[in-house]
Amino acid sequence: MSTIPPRRFIIDNDGNNFCSNLTDDLEADIEEVIASCPEEVTTYMLCPGAGTYYYPTKIGVTDPRHQKLNEHLKQGIDPLGHLLETLKKAGKETFLTFRMNDVHNPTDANQWNTPVIRREHPEMIVDPEGAKKPDADWMCWCLDYTQPEVQNYILSLLEELASHYETDGFQLDWLRFPRHLPGNPDEVWAHRASLTKIVKEAYRIFSTKDIKLSVRVPTSLAGCRHLGLDIVEWTANGWIDMIVMCPFLTTDFVMPIDELRQAIAPADTLIYGGFDFAHGWQIHSPESLRATASSLYDCGTDGIYLFNFPCWTEYSAAVPSHYLPPLASPETACQKPLLFSIPVIHHIRKEIIDGPGVLPVTINPNQKSELEIHLPAKALPANRAMLHIIGPGELDLSVNGTPADELQNRYRLQLIPSVTSN
């Protein structure tokens, strides 16, 4: 097993973008992944599937959409395993990251993402009644971890993966998707032992193989409590080696990392700040990525984690790997220009699972509203700044009490460059 990098820079790959684009030339497919991963990235987390899987499982089922993947598997070739081996040879620390409750498209007729346990026991979900509604949220179909059958199914998959792959680490991703127990928040917390059991058993499975255990959780203790994730007990028992704090499908520039660090023991447990492809209503640019990393370093993160990064091609013409090198350290992340944004109330239960949203805000005539934006120390001093405000009507703006000038001639901001493929 490899040694712990002095500061991790982690990429999360959902595995689907690799397995859905496989060709007959597996070596070239893998080389493309390796070539697109900057040397500054220390750690590569690869997802082996969602409700269905991308590896030769005997417990679950493989994703039926990926014809070439299934052809390889029938021939005894494991593309995911070959990718992990090549990443290690390229000097990367490797993790498998396991989605504890992926519920993409839960009602699709071909059941491409329906886990075996839900096919056999459709009633073992967190909200059976809610799932009957025509406008039901996907998370109604999340597996109910209070059910022993669900616990045994998940643990059997973890055992299978541990026996199948040699990796440096394994991550339990509790944010994909963030619902695992039924009932209101108080009832969820009362059932937290069901999730604690999974973490304890995962530690038993992986520690015997000297595999580090990571958990991806919300960005606050309150968010963890809302999901029934007793992160304080998990760390007190020495079950986890590292924590990845993330918002759900967005970016929080500021996280209470010190608050979590003070609450857990041992206090030197590694904590990483993570984020997704967007901030507010915008897709990330190099300037906003640097600003996010710089802010998270200022909050005390031990490194940077990018969720599902290769899938950012859904929003750009090519994997923007050239955006990444400056994020690897506080000294390079603070290079100006930097683009910050104020948190937007964007996704379901934003106020509970993630940090509090601020925008949009309503300002009535002749009234005022004060908005705070956190700027890391390394971003200052700044001799020039531009605020981009979206909204109707005329506004008088002052920054730290000083009136701001409005630009009459608005040009396209160079802070949001396009990404094109060759």
Side-chain angles (χ1 to χ4, degrees):
M1 296 295 169
S2 65
T3 58
I4 298 174
R7 178 184 285 115
R8 282 189 176 96
F9 181 13
I10 307 168
I11 280 184
D12 175 305
N13 181 338
D14 77 345
N16 178 67
N17 64 88
F18 170 67
C19 293
S20 64
N21 294 299
L22 288 172
T23 68
D24 290 321
D25 192 346
L26 180 58
E27 185 176 341
D29 298 335
I30 291 175
E31 180 55 37
E32 184 177 351
V33 175
I34 302 299
S36 67
C37 183
E39 64 179 49
E40 288 82 0
V41 171
T42 64
T43 307
Y44 206 99
M45 290 194 178
L46 189 59
C47 180
T52 57
Y53 298 97
Y54 313 135
Y55 71 99
T57 177
K58 295 180 180 179
I59 296 168
V61 294
T62 56
D63 192 324
R65 301 171 301 166
H66 303 327
Q67 179 181 349
K68 189 58 63 176
L69 169 66
N70 284 284
E71 288 178 7
H72 281 307
L73 294 176
K74 286 179 181 178
Q75 296 169 13
I77 301 169
D78 180 2
L80 214 65
H82 284 303
L83 176 55
L84 284 168
E85 291 172 3
T86 309
L87 284 163
K88 288 181 71 68
K89 289 178 182 177
K92 304 302 181 187
E93 182 186 40
T94 59
F95 276 61
L96 286 174
T97 177
F98 187 86
R99 297 181 172 189
M100 305 306 290
N101 239 327
D102 194 293
V103 284
H104 276 98
N105 306 88
T107 59
D108 278 13
N110 66 354
Q111 296 189 318
W112 69 266
N113 194 42
T114 304
V116 168
I117 186 67
R118 206 170 78 222
R119 298 181 190 192
E120 297 175 350
H121 298 282
E123 76 282 1
M124 290 186 181
I125 57 178
V126 293
D127 191 358
E129 292 304 312
K132 296 176 183 177
K133 298 177 181 179
D135 59 344
D137 184 271
W138 282 0
M139 284 193 282
C140 292
W141 280 272
C142 285
L143 293 171
D144 176 3
Y145 275 79
T146 65
Q147 304 291 337
E149 293 88 347
V150 170
Q151 297 174 14
N152 292 337
Y153 174 73
I154 295 298
L155 289 173
S156 65
L157 286 168
L158 301 189
E159 291 268 16
E160 182 178 57
L161 286 164
S163 65
H164 199 74
Y165 295 112
E166 292 187 5
T167 63
D168 298 297
F170 195 94
Q171 176 168 265
L172 306 178
D173 186 348
W174 294 105
L175 283 178
R176 204 64 159 165
F177 282 67
R179 195 176 182 189
H180 312 285
L181 300 169
N184 62 43
D186 289 337
E187 292 169 327
V188 164
W189 187 243
H191 287 304
R192 65 188 182 278
S194 296
L195 305 187
T196 294
K197 175 185 175 181
I198 299 295
V199 176
K200 180 180 180 180
E201 288 300 302
Y203 170 75
R204 175 188 62 78
I205 292 167
F206 295 108
S207 63
T208 59
K209 295 179 176 292
D210 195 26
I211 294 175
K212 304 177 187 74
L213 188 61
S214 170
V215 290
R216 192 167 84 105
V217 299
T219 58
S220 68
L221 288 169
C224 290
R225 179 185 175 88
H226 187 80
L227 298 185
L229 308 176
D230 196 346
I231 195 77
V232 174
E233 181 175 353
W234 302 352
T235 53
N237 283 287
W239 296 334
I240 57 177
D241 298 285
M242 53 189 269
I243 301 166
V244 175
M245 300 173 67
C246 271
F248 181 57
L249 294 180
T250 188
T251 295
D252 284 345
F253 285 74
V254 180
M255 293 184 191
I257 294 174
D258 285 341
E259 176 186 321
L260 178 61
R261 206 179 294 279
Q262 292 170 13
I264 63 175
D268 60 354
T269 301
L270 296 169
I271 301 176
Y272 298 91
F275 53 96
D276 214 311
F277 64 88
H279 60 110
W281 294 292
Q282 299 185 73
I283 305 302
H284 271 299
S285 66
E287 293 78 11
S288 63
L289 286 172
R290 291 198 302 272
T292 305
S294 190
S295 290
L296 293 180
Y297 284 127
D298 200 55
C299 291
T301 184
D302 289 308
I304 299 298
Y305 172 99
L306 295 185
F307 177 72
N308 215 358
F309 177 72
C311 277
W312 290 17
T313 53
E314 295 175 15
Y315 310 94
S316 62
V319 178
S321 301
H322 55 295
Y323 289 7
L324 301 187
L327 312 186
S329 75
E331 291 71 29
T332 53
C334 66
Q335 297 173 23
K336 300 181 178 104
L338 300 171
L339 176 62
F340 299 88
S341 64
I342 294 175
V344 173
I345 302 171
H346 192 43
H347 287 290
I348 187 169
R349 296 185 294 180
K350 169 75 178 174
E351 297 286 350
I352 300 171
I353 294 179
D354 301 333
V358 176
L359 298 178
V361 63
T362 299
I363 305 175
N364 295 318
N366 301 317
Q367 291 186 339
K368 68 177 182 179
S369 179
E370 292 189 2
L371 303 175
E372 292 186 4
I373 186 166
H374 171 86
L375 297 178
K378 287 184 178 294
L380 300 172
N383 57 18
R384 186 171 185 268
M386 180 185 295
L387 288 174
H388 185 203
I389 301 173
I390 302 173
E394 297 294 325
L395 291 174
D396 291 322
L397 174 69
S398 63
V399 179
N400 295 338
T402 301
D405 296 327
E406 180 179 1
L407 291 179
Q408 298 300 322
N409 297 317
R410 299 186 179 93
Y411 299 97
R412 181 182 180 278
L413 287 177
Q414 296 305 307
L415 289 174
I416 316 293
S418 300
V419 182
T420 57
S421 58
N422 294 329

